[in-house]
Amino acid sequence: MRSRPIGFLLATLAGAVLALGGTSAASASPSTAPAAADVGTADACYTWGGTLREGSSGEAVRQLQIRVAGYPGTGNQIAIDGAFGPATRAAVTRFQSAYGLAADGIAGPATFNKIYQLQDNDCTPVNFTYAELNRCNSDWSGGKVSAATARANALVTMWKLQAMRHAMGDRPITVNGGFRSVSCNSAVGGAANSRHMYGHAADLGAGSQGFCGLAQAARNHGFTEILGPGYPGHNDHTHVAGGSGRFWSAPSCGI
């Protein structure tokens, strides 16, 4: 794990105040997301200002959804839409359970403090980087979506991978590539509408888990596209991606 900024310590103290029933400058109603003016700056990436639960909405919920995107349940994917509905509650509950927290589906100080421990200053999870998810160019341009959208999609992909990594015993996952511009995709012979060009996809090396282990685990962590051994062109890596629809094919792995 990379070192945490002083902001993390401040965030922890702020969480303790809330847990004791006090208030902070970042406090918010339990039924709605905090307004922009209420969001503090204790964490170097993003700081939640109060408890979030089913019925909450807004940017604070959207930021939470990104971090729990890898906990939607087998075969599912949660929407990153800022609306805290039943699917988000279930994802929060699974996240809490995965880290030994009280699994009530309500995001409060304990949940946010765990997230602070798991994220770096640029909002990526501590075990993955933007550089790993983009070996094509430095500015995320030239894909099928805007550079900002491609980068945002890659961030969600990283948080899904972080969840998958934790579920597999916190063993490192090797990312061989992610985002591709149209020209990069063409150069490697990618599919005409590859999800790599949207920032949704990552190609994984075998690592200690093996290609089939990765493909099988990916089913539980929000990946709607999984291609691996036995699928043409995928005997030397496991491909995972988000996005609409669902297509899983790794015949050699029973998928």
Side-chain angles (χ1 to χ4, degrees):
M1 181 184 294
R2 284 163 262 178
S3 61
R4 304 300 302 148
I6 187 66
F8 167 67
L9 299 177
L10 296 176
T12 303
L13 292 173
V17 171
L18 289 171
L20 292 170
T23 59
S24 74
S27 63
S29 162
S31 61
T32 60
D38 292 330
V39 176
T41 56
D43 187 76
C45 164
Y46 185 87
T47 297
W48 285 268
T51 300
L52 299 174
R53 65 185 73 215
E54 193 166 350
S56 298
S57 62
E59 180 62 14
V61 174
R62 193 183 74 85
Q63 291 290 336
L64 174 63
Q65 289 169 328
I66 292 169
R67 276 66 168 186
V68 300
Y71 293 92
T74 302
N76 296 322
Q77 177 177 238
I78 68 168
I80 312 298
D81 59 4
F84 198 130
T88 298
R89 179 178 180 177
V92 170
T93 300
R94 293 187 189 98
F95 173 87
Q96 292 167 329
S97 180
Y99 284 100
L101 306 177
D104 58 5
I106 299 171
T111 299
F112 298 134
N113 285 339
K114 175 51 66 175
I115 292 174
Y116 297 147
Q117 292 173 13
L118 293 173
Q119 71 183 9
D120 274 324
N121 294 349
D122 63 355
C123 301
T124 59
V126 292
N127 296 115
F128 297 93
T129 68
Y130 280 117
E132 289 177 291
L133 270 290
N134 182 358
R135 303 183 190 278
C136 172
N137 59 42
S138 61
D139 61 8
W140 300 83
S141 65
K144 292 283 191 177
V145 292
S146 71
T149 297
R151 194 172 188 269
N153 289 341
L155 180 62
V156 175
T157 298
M158 282 186 271
W159 279 100
K160 291 179 180 181
L161 289 173
Q162 185 72 30
M164 185 168 142
R165 183 186 193 277
H166 184 60
M168 300 184 81
D170 285 310
R171 289 176 288 165
I173 290 178
T174 301
V175 180
N176 294 329
F179 168 74
R180 300 173 190 159
S181 67
V182 173
S183 61
C184 284
N185 188 65
S186 178
V188 299
N193 200 37
S194 169
R195 296 190 189 184
H196 284 283
M197 295 184 288
Y198 297 82
H200 282 306
D203 288 339
L204 310 179
S208 63
Q209 301 92 337
F211 295 132
C212 284
L214 293 165
Q216 291 161 353
R219 297 174 296 181
N220 304 319
H221 297 289
F223 293 109
T224 56
E225 185 171 89
I226 304 169
L227 305 175
Y231 184 79
H234 290 75
N235 288 324
D236 61 352
H237 69 283
T238 293
H239 165 94
V240 296
S244 60
R246 190 173 90 181
F247 181 52
W248 294 352
S249 184
S252 299
C253 308
I255 299 173

mmCIF file of all heavy atoms in Angstrom, residues 136-137 141-144 179-190 197:
data_model
loop_
_atom_site.group_PDB
_atom_site.id
_atom_site.type_symbol
_atom_site.label_atom_id
_atom_site.label_comp_id
_atom_site.label_asym_id
_atom_site.label_seq_id
_atom_site.Cartn_x
_atom_site.Cartn_y
_atom_site.Cartn_z
ATOM 1 N N CYS A 136 -1.690 3.427 -24.270
ATOM 2 C CA CYS A 136 -1.870 3.913 -25.644
ATOM 3 C C CYS A 136 -1.338 5.333 -25.812
ATOM 4 O O CYS A 136 -0.498 5.595 -26.664
ATOM 5 C CB CYS A 136 -3.349 3.855 -26.009
ATOM 6 S SG CYS A 136 -3.774 4.629 -27.573
ATOM 7 N N ASN A 137 -1.841 6.258 -24.999
ATOM 8 C CA ASN A 137 -1.390 7.651 -25.073
ATOM 9 C C ASN A 137 -1.540 8.282 -23.692
ATOM 10 O O ASN A 137 -2.081 7.680 -22.775
ATOM 11 C CB ASN A 137 -2.149 8.450 -26.138
ATOM 12 C CG ASN A 137 -3.651 8.478 -25.894
ATOM 13 O OD1 ASN A 137 -4.111 8.640 -24.767
ATOM 14 N ND2 ASN A 137 -4.442 8.312 -26.961
ATOM 15 N N SER A 141 -7.223 10.435 -25.320
ATOM 16 C CA SER A 141 -7.979 10.925 -26.473
ATOM 17 C C SER A 141 -8.044 9.876 -27.580
ATOM 18 O O SER A 141 -7.307 8.890 -27.583
ATOM 19 C CB SER A 141 -7.325 12.184 -27.022
ATOM 20 O OG SER A 141 -6.027 11.894 -27.533
ATOM 21 N N GLY A 142 -8.948 10.120 -28.542
ATOM 22 C CA GLY A 142 -8.999 9.315 -29.754
ATOM 23 C C GLY A 142 -9.829 8.060 -29.677
ATOM 24 O O GLY A 142 -9.843 7.264 -30.619
ATOM 25 N N GLY A 143 -10.535 7.852 -28.576
ATOM 26 C CA GLY A 143 -11.378 6.676 -28.462
ATOM 27 C C GLY A 143 -12.774 6.919 -28.997
ATOM 28 O O GLY A 143 -13.014 7.881 -29.739
ATOM 29 N N LYS A 144 -13.702 6.080 -28.573
ATOM 30 C CA LYS A 144 -15.092 6.209 -29.015
ATOM 31 C C LYS A 144 -15.897 7.170 -28.146
ATOM 32 O O LYS A 144 -17.057 7.462 -28.452
ATOM 33 C CB LYS A 144 -15.770 4.834 -28.993
ATOM 34 C CG LYS A 144 -15.237 3.863 -30.025
ATOM 35 C CD LYS A 144 -15.764 4.173 -31.418
ATOM 36 C CE LYS A 144 -15.441 3.046 -32.377
ATOM 37 N NZ LYS A 144 -15.999 3.286 -33.733
ATOM 38 N N PHE A 179 -7.326 1.179 -21.839
ATOM 39 C CA PHE A 179 -7.853 2.079 -22.856
ATOM 40 C C PHE A 179 -7.028 2.023 -24.137
ATOM 41 O O PHE A 179 -5.797 1.926 -24.103
ATOM 42 C CB PHE A 179 -7.865 3.519 -22.338
ATOM 43 C CG PHE A 179 -8.119 4.537 -23.420
ATOM 44 C CD1 PHE A 179 -9.391 4.701 -23.952
ATOM 45 C CD2 PHE A 179 -7.079 5.316 -23.914
ATOM 46 C CE1 PHE A 179 -9.624 5.628 -24.959
ATOM 47 C CE2 PHE A 179 -7.305 6.246 -24.917
ATOM 48 C CZ PHE A 179 -8.577 6.401 -25.442
ATOM 49 N N ARG A 180 -7.737 2.085 -25.270
ATOM 50 C CA ARG A 180 -7.098 2.219 -26.578
ATOM 51 C C ARG A 180 -7.821 3.291 -27.388
ATOM 52 O O ARG A 180 -9.059 3.331 -27.403
ATOM 53 C CB ARG A 180 -7.172 0.915 -27.375
ATOM 54 C CG ARG A 180 -6.527 -0.298 -26.757
ATOM 55 C CD ARG A 180 -6.838 -1.527 -27.602
ATOM 56 N NE ARG A 180 -6.451 -2.779 -26.967
ATOM 57 C CZ ARG A 180 -6.963 -3.961 -27.308
ATOM 58 N NH1 ARG A 180 -7.896 -4.026 -28.260
ATOM 59 N NH2 ARG A 180 -6.548 -5.059 -26.686
ATOM 60 N N SER A 181 -7.078 4.115 -28.055
ATOM 61 C CA SER A 181 -7.670 4.997 -29.054
ATOM 62 C C SER A 181 -8.067 4.126 -30.251
ATOM 63 O O SER A 181 -7.692 2.946 -30.331
ATOM 64 C CB SER A 181 -6.664 6.056 -29.495
ATOM 65 O OG SER A 181 -5.593 5.446 -30.195
ATOM 66 N N VAL A 182 -8.797 4.699 -31.178
ATOM 67 C CA VAL A 182 -9.172 3.945 -32.380
ATOM 68 C C VAL A 182 -7.926 3.463 -33.106
ATOM 69 O O VAL A 182 -7.849 2.310 -33.554
ATOM 70 C CB VAL A 182 -10.049 4.810 -33.298
ATOM 71 C CG1 VAL A 182 -10.305 4.094 -34.617
ATOM 72 C CG2 VAL A 182 -11.378 5.148 -32.610
ATOM 73 N N SER A 183 -6.930 4.314 -33.202
ATOM 74 C CA SER A 183 -5.708 3.928 -33.909
ATOM 75 C C SER A 183 -4.932 2.855 -33.150
ATOM 76 O O SER A 183 -4.414 1.909 -33.756
ATOM 77 C CB SER A 183 -4.822 5.156 -34.162
ATOM 78 O OG SER A 183 -4.439 5.763 -32.937
ATOM 79 N N CYS A 184 -4.852 2.955 -31.829
ATOM 80 C CA CYS A 184 -4.180 1.921 -31.040
ATOM 81 C C CYS A 184 -4.916 0.595 -31.161
ATOM 82 O O CYS A 184 -4.296 -0.476 -31.258
ATOM 83 C CB CYS A 184 -4.098 2.328 -29.577
ATOM 84 S SG CYS A 184 -2.850 3.576 -29.212
ATOM 85 N N ASN A 185 -6.234 0.646 -31.139
ATOM 86 C CA ASN A 185 -7.031 -0.568 -31.254
ATOM 87 C C ASN A 185 -6.818 -1.233 -32.597
ATOM 88 O O ASN A 185 -6.666 -2.455 -32.694
ATOM 89 C CB ASN A 185 -8.512 -0.239 -31.054
ATOM 90 C CG ASN A 185 -9.374 -1.484 -30.957
ATOM 91 O OD1 ASN A 185 -9.246 -2.269 -30.029
ATOM 92 N ND2 ASN A 185 -10.267 -1.653 -31.925
ATOM 93 N N SER A 186 -6.765 -0.424 -33.664
ATOM 94 C CA SER A 186 -6.532 -0.952 -35.001
ATOM 95 C C SER A 186 -5.155 -1.591 -35.107
ATOM 96 O O SER A 186 -4.990 -2.654 -35.718
ATOM 97 C CB SER A 186 -6.689 0.163 -36.034
ATOM 98 O OG SER A 186 -6.424 -0.309 -37.337
ATOM 99 N N ALA A 187 -4.178 -0.966 -34.474
ATOM 100 C CA ALA A 187 -2.802 -1.454 -34.564
ATOM 101 C C ALA A 187 -2.629 -2.838 -33.945
ATOM 102 O O ALA A 187 -1.778 -3.618 -34.378
ATOM 103 C CB ALA A 187 -1.858 -0.467 -33.890
ATOM 104 N N VAL A 188 -3.433 -3.152 -32.917
ATOM 105 C CA VAL A 188 -3.314 -4.465 -32.269
ATOM 106 C C VAL A 188 -4.362 -5.455 -32.771
ATOM 107 O O VAL A 188 -4.468 -6.570 -32.248
ATOM 108 C CB VAL A 188 -3.411 -4.339 -30.727
ATOM 109 C CG1 VAL A 188 -2.292 -3.459 -30.201
ATOM 110 C CG2 VAL A 188 -4.775 -3.799 -30.290
ATOM 111 N N GLY A 189 -5.142 -5.048 -33.774
ATOM 112 C CA GLY A 189 -6.147 -5.936 -34.335
ATOM 113 C C GLY A 189 -7.363 -6.125 -33.453
ATOM 114 O O GLY A 189 -7.997 -7.185 -33.486
ATOM 115 N N GLY A 190 -7.708 -5.102 -32.667
ATOM 116 C CA GLY A 190 -8.862 -5.185 -31.785
ATOM 117 C C GLY A 190 -10.177 -5.194 -32.541
ATOM 118 O O GLY A 190 -10.252 -4.776 -33.701
ATOM 119 N N MET A 197 -11.905 0.889 -26.334
ATOM 120 C CA MET A 197 -11.977 2.252 -26.863
ATOM 121 C C MET A 197 -12.903 3.154 -26.052
ATOM 122 O O MET A 197 -12.968 4.357 -26.300
ATOM 123 C CB MET A 197 -12.398 2.217 -28.332
ATOM 124 C CG MET A 197 -11.376 1.529 -29.240
ATOM 125 S SD MET A 197 -11.813 1.591 -30.996
ATOM 126 C CE MET A 197 -13.194 0.440 -31.040
#
